[in-house]
Coordinates of all heavy atoms in Angstrom, one line a residue:
H134 N 112.9 78.4 116.5 CA 112.6 78.3 118.0 C 111.3 77.6 118.2 O 110.6 77.3 117.3 CB 112.5 79.7 118.5 CG 111.3 80.5 118.0 ND1 111.3 81.1 116.8 CD2 110.1 80.7 118.5 CE1 110.1 81.6 116.6 NE2 109.3 81.4 117.6
D136 N 107.8 77.8 120.7 CA 107.1 78.7 121.6 C 106.8 77.9 122.9 O 105.9 77.1 123.0 CB 105.7 79.1 121.0 CG 105.9 80.1 119.8 OD1 107.0 80.4 119.4 OD2 104.8 80.5 119.3
W181 N 99.0 76.0 115.0 CA 99.6 74.7 115.4 C 99.4 74.4 116.8 O 99.5 75.3 117.7 CB 101.1 74.6 114.9 CG 102.1 75.6 115.5 CD1 102.9 75.4 116.6 CD2 102.4 76.9 115.0 NE1 103.6 76.5 116.8 CE2 103.3 77.5 115.9 CE3 101.9 77.7 114.0 CZ2 103.9 78.7 115.7 CZ3 102.4 79.0 113.8 CH2 103.4 79.5 114.6
H190 N 110.0 76.4 114.7 CA 109.6 77.2 113.5 C 110.4 78.5 113.5 O 111.0 78.9 114.5 CB 108.1 77.5 113.6 CG 107.7 78.3 114.9 ND1 107.5 77.6 116.1 CD2 107.5 79.6 115.1 CE1 107.2 78.5 117.0 NE2 107.2 79.7 116.4
R213 N 98.3 83.5 121.7 CA 98.6 82.4 122.6 C 97.8 82.5 123.9 O 97.5 83.6 124.3 CB 100.1 82.4 123.0 CG 101.1 82.4 121.9 CD 102.0 83.6 121.9 NE 102.9 83.6 120.8 CZ 104.2 83.8 121.0 NH1 104.8 84.0 122.1 NH2 105.0 83.7 119.9
Ligands
FE2_2 FE1 107.2 81.5 117.5

Side-chain angles (χ1 to χ4, degrees):
H134 67 280
D136 289 2
W181 61 98
H190 59 281
R213 303 117 181 234

